Amino acid sequence: MVETSSSLLELGGPVVLILLGISVAALAVIFAKVFQFSSARVGRHGQVRRAVAQWRAGERSKASQNLLKDRSLSAALVRNAMDAIQMLDQQSLSSQERDIREERLREEISARAADRLFGLASWLKALDLVTQISPLLGLFGTVLGMIETFQTLQESGAAANPATLAGGIWVALLTTACGLAVAIPVSVAVTWFEARLEKERAAIEVLLTGVFTAGSASTLNPDPAAS
């Protein structure tokens, strides 16, 4: 395999070498994002949903305490909202003043959620750029290879060997294949990350709404498939 890889690099030239470097960098970013998503427990809302259900049932202190051991992003945001609302409950505020403070609190928590989600989305644009430039680099290498092949064919004149021409063409097409081999799996990874982020954003919005509208009767079910 080592010999084959060395042969491919030698045949493909600098374009394949560049694509190899891009693929290694993209792979490192993908592993880092997987670790980041795992640390933030993205998509895991089971315990948070149970806590919000307790909150809406009137067990406010118990609901907040049950989130202390949950290290997920959604748990941290929901717990902050619960603690802040409980502090408001302890203050003697008029109905109008409480509504104003609660609205400000909701905006603050929403801004904090957006900031955390923005952090989770970091480097996804870089991966998306890889999916766009890798096929173009491969095509660029193919064009250069084809130019070199036809230059050789022209110099050979009537003595041109069809086998040599065919060999030059497949070597030229090698860079396009390498570009696609890099772009396709990275594109799949980017799509997966973005889908997870969209689900996380929707779940957090529904969970926070459940906390701030605890006085109204509604059913909370942000993401039945999440665990």
Side-chain angles (χ1 to χ4, degrees):
M1 292 182 63
V2 174
E3 292 181 359
T4 303
S5 300
S6 300
S7 177
L8 290 176
L9 289 175
E10 184 178 353
L11 291 172
V15 173
V16 171
L17 188 61
I18 293 173
L19 287 170
L20 178 62
I22 290 176
S23 67
V24 171
L27 188 62
V29 172
I30 289 172
F31 279 129
K33 297 304 295 182
V34 169
F35 176 77
Q36 185 184 24
F37 275 49
S38 178
S39 298
R41 296 177 63 84
V42 173
R44 301 179 183 180
H45 311 119
Q47 187 170 348
V48 186
R49 291 203 309 274
R50 288 190 291 271
V52 174
Q54 290 175 328
W55 174 271
R56 296 178 69 82
E59 303 175 2
R60 297 197 164 188
S61 297
K62 185 177 179 181
S64 180
Q65 289 294 322
N66 286 342
L67 292 177
L68 290 176
K69 295 182 180 180
D70 193 331
R71 301 301 179 186
S72 67
L73 168 61
S74 57
L77 294 169
V78 169
R79 187 175 65 249
N80 288 340
M82 288 179 175
D83 292 342
I85 290 176
Q86 289 185 91
M87 290 182 63
L88 287 179
D89 291 340
Q90 297 172 2
Q91 301 176 16
S92 300
L93 301 174
S94 64
S95 177
Q96 182 179 3
E97 187 176 3
R98 179 185 172 86
D99 289 342
I100 294 174
R101 292 196 180 186
E102 193 168 301
E103 182 62 28
R104 290 177 180 174
L105 173 62
R106 186 166 186 170
E107 291 177 356
E108 180 183 345
I109 297 294
S110 297
R112 194 177 305 171
D115 182 64
R116 295 291 300 275
L117 290 170
F118 180 78
L120 288 174
S122 62
W123 289 98
L124 290 185
K125 289 295 184 182
L127 291 177
D128 188 52
L129 181 61
V130 169
T131 66
Q132 296 179 39
I133 66 173
S134 294
L136 294 178
L137 278 173
L139 182 59
F140 177 66
T142 295
V143 171
L144 293 179
M146 295 294 287
I147 291 174
E148 183 179 352
T149 298
F150 283 108
Q151 282 180 336
T152 304
L153 180 62
Q154 182 182 17
E155 293 171 358
S156 300
N161 186 351
T164 303
L165 177 61
I169 292 175
W170 83 259
V171 169
L173 292 174
L174 176 64
T175 58
T176 296
C178 290
L180 293 174
V182 173
I184 292 173
V186 175
S187 178
V188 172
V190 171
T191 301
W192 185 82
F193 285 130
E194 290 179 344
R196 299 285 288 181
L197 276 177
E198 285 301 316
K199 289 182 179 179
E200 185 72 8
R201 183 178 291 107
I204 288 175
E205 182 178 350
V206 173
L207 289 166
L208 290 175
T209 299
V211 172
F212 283 103
T213 60
S216 62
S218 60
T219 302
L220 183 67
N221 188 17
D223 190 358
S227 59

